[in-house]
Amino acid sequence: YQFIRSIEKAKEEHELRRQLYVACTRAESELHMLGHLSEKSGNATKHSFLQILLEHDATCFGAEITQLEQSIETDDKEAPALQRIRDMPEPSPIPSEPTAHDSIAFAWAGAEAAPIGNALHAMFQNIAEIGIEQWQHANNHKHIRHLLMAEGLSGELLEHAIQRCEKGLNQALHSPRAQWILSNQHAHSQCEWAISHQQVDYIAHYVIDRSFEDEHGIRWIIDYKTASHEGSNLDAFLEAEKQRHQAQLERYALALHAMGHHNLRLALYFPMLDAWQEWDAPAVE
């Protein structure tokens, strides 16, 4: 019993150190930590992050340490009275007629929006890596269900998300454009391509959904967008989406140019619509 307990205790201590490491390494520029020392012993609480730091290095590995004395409690009579808002402000009226910004109807939204996007991205990655030419369609439903359940969906929300995913996937699988995108016959093909780019004072990290060189030597940077559009003016919707995401894709192009890639072209693919929007990457001097 004591032997097993010692193993479990060691595991708990290792897990606590792992949590401390993860918490500290998430800081981008500065890290501020607050800890409590016992008044009697002057030591940190057992099994706390502070105890782990101090038991290995009394200086907390070179951190700037500031000790704060316990503040003196004020008398209740001197404490400021709580302020209460008695009347809620009137809400802004909801316009009965659509405004100019509402003329382009797009982007179905809901709790399943992000999971559907993640699931379709994962499906497209799997298809492109195997090659749509060799892809077996029989297990699509099973794959999609597992991906969406892993995203935390269940019940009616899960079933609705599966329907939307299957709609987007089926349109892509029967689309000449998507078949071209998801083919593994392209040169220098990449899926979910993680790249980094040195900026002036930081390093930017990007993930490109799909990239390859076509038969003309053009390096494509393609981003999947799972937004939908129910309005009539599809061209206006696509142009608006281009304006929204243009800066993002052009940052990708700048990073690839710095890596030695040239003749770049950018594109958005909308599987829910089987729609496509493309443009040239900006010239880089």
Side-chain angles (χ1 to χ4, degrees), residues 93-105:
I94 301 175
S96 57
E97 296 295 330
T99 64
H101 296 289
D102 299 323
S103 60
I104 301 176

Side-chain angles (χ1 to χ4, degrees), residues 104 229 233-241:
I104 301 176
H229 174 69
N233 195 343
L234 180 60
D235 290 339
F237 164 77
L238 295 177
E239 181 60 29
E241 288 294 283

Side-chain angles (χ1 to χ4, degrees), residues 125-141:
Q125 179 182 2
N126 293 337
I127 294 171
E129 288 176 346
I130 295 174
I132 197 169
E133 301 86 354
Q134 290 80 36
W135 182 254
Q136 300 296 323
H137 297 195
N139 293 324
N140 286 346
H141 181 84

Side-chain angles (χ1 to χ4, degrees), residues 101-123:
H101 296 289
D102 299 323
S103 60
I104 301 176
F106 73 95
W108 58 272
E112 72 273 27
I116 287 176
N118 294 338
L120 279 177
H121 275 68
M123 289 295 294

Side-chain angles (χ1 to χ4, degrees), residues 12-21 24 33-38 42-56 60-61:
E12 292 175 1
E13 291 176 351
H14 292 160
E15 174 62 14
L16 195 64
R17 284 162 172 74
R18 186 193 69 81
Q19 292 177 2
L20 175 61
Y21 170 80
C24 292
M33 303 181 69
L34 302 179
H36 174 71
L37 299 178
S38 170
N43 298 325
T45 305
K46 289 185 177 180
H47 308 298
S48 65
F49 289 162
L50 183 57
Q51 183 195 32
I52 295 174
L53 293 172
L54 292 178
E55 71 183 4
H56 287 284
C60 279
F61 301 94

Side-chain angles (χ1 to χ4, degrees), residues 61-106:
F61 301 94
E64 180 181 340
I65 300 177
T66 303
Q67 295 193 14
L68 303 176
E69 297 294 334
Q70 182 178 6
S71 59
I72 300 174
E73 296 183 1
T74 58
D75 186 68
D76 292 340
K77 296 180 180 179
E78 298 178 0
L82 294 176
Q83 299 295 319
R84 177 174 296 176
I85 300 176
R86 296 183 179 277
D87 299 317
M88 294 294 292
E90 290 293 329
S92 302
I94 301 175
S96 57
E97 296 295 330
T99 64
H101 296 289
D102 299 323
S103 60
I104 301 176
F106 73 95

